[in-house]
Amino acid sequence: MKIEYILREENFIEYHLFSIDENKNTMKTLNISKVFLVGLLLYFAFDLYNHNQTIFAVLLVISAILTLVFYTKIYKTKLRKHYTKIVKNSYADRVGEKETMEFTSEHIITKENDGERKTKISEIEKINETQNNFFIKLTNGTSFIISKKGIDNWELIKTKWEELKIPLFENLSWEWK
């Protein structure tokens, strides 16, 4: 079975954001940094309050509350901007180029503008499906991105993956919020 598709900038960005979202350590770091920052603000507010600086203490408590409410949204916005820059710099030669992927009983054969690559089917750890993409994660930590845009026969492709006994995880409601 052969698939031809074109990857856009958004496909690469979604891949990186999905990988971060799937990584439990990243979200743990986000929560620890948020709690640390709020705790630090409350500590200074308490210290200022003890030194009769009530107005500044109240401002720091308000800042702590705002940090608690908006920190995650700001952090995720910064990450999206960061990965957008990375994609523009690192993947510029692949954006908009036609890519081909062929599944045989033993290999995945990928053809890009810089050459051809063979990967054993046994090296596929899992396939994650999102609303716009498939992310094929390999055991060595790398991944292939397949854009769904422009490809109509996804049910046939999924059936082929089931025949090859490749685990498929549906994350159709996933989005970077």
Side-chain angles (χ1 to χ4, degrees):
M1 174 179 46
K2 192 175 193 178
I3 307 169
E4 291 184 343
Y5 54 95
I6 295 174
L7 291 175
R8 297 172 290 123
E9 192 174 284
E10 192 61 31
N11 301 118
F12 291 104
I13 295 168
E14 282 184 25
Y15 163 71
H16 286 289
L17 296 176
F18 180 81
S19 296
I20 284 175
D21 210 19
E22 193 178 51
N23 185 339
K24 302 299 179 210
N25 288 335
T26 305
M27 300 321 274
K28 190 177 183 181
T29 302
L30 166 68
N31 290 329
I32 289 171
S33 61
K34 178 169 54 172
V35 168
F36 177 76
L37 186 57
V38 169
L40 194 63
L41 289 169
L42 290 175
Y43 171 78
F44 285 126
F46 183 73
D47 188 50
L48 287 171
Y49 181 76
N50 285 338
H51 288 93
N52 295 324
Q53 299 287 328
T54 311
I55 294 173
F56 292 119
V58 169
L59 288 174
L60 283 178
V61 168
I62 291 170
S63 297
I65 293 169
L66 290 174
T67 299
L68 194 62
V69 173
F70 294 111
Y71 185 81
T72 302
K73 182 71 174 165
I74 292 169
Y75 181 80
K76 287 189 169 193
T77 301
K78 293 280 188 188
L79 277 177
R80 178 177 271 286
K81 286 181 182 178
H82 173 72
Y83 282 109
T84 300
K85 284 181 184 177
I86 287 175
V87 166
K88 285 182 182 193
N89 292 332
S90 301
Y91 299 102
D93 59 331
R94 290 184 60 195
V95 172
E97 295 295 320
K98 184 171 131 182
E99 303 204 12
T100 305
M101 184 176 287
E102 185 176 348
F103 288 87
T104 66
S105 60
E106 295 181 22
H107 292 93
I108 300 174
I109 303 165
T110 56
K111 295 177 186 171
E112 301 167 1
N113 58 354
D114 62 346
E116 184 175 298
R117 177 177 167 187
K118 263 187 175 179
T119 307
K120 291 181 180 179
I121 293 290
S122 61
E123 291 183 39
I124 298 176
E125 184 178 319
K126 65 182 175 178
I127 299 176
N128 287 302
E129 178 184 10
T130 64
Q131 190 174 5
N132 301 317
N133 302 295
F134 286 102
F135 304 125
I136 302 174
K137 186 175 182 181
L138 304 179
T139 54
N140 66 6
T142 61
S143 295
F144 294 118
I145 303 169
I146 301 175
S147 174
K148 288 183 174 180
K149 189 173 184 173
I151 299 177
D152 300 324
N153 55 350
W154 285 115
E155 294 307 316
L156 179 65
I157 294 168
K158 285 179 167 182
T159 305
K160 178 68 173 177
W161 289 338
E162 286 176 14
E163 289 172 10
L164 294 171
K165 295 181 176 41
I166 302 171
L168 176 67
F169 296 92
E170 291 184 347
N171 300 291
L172 298 175
S173 62
W174 178 86
E175 66 178 285
W176 187 255
K177 297 175 188 172

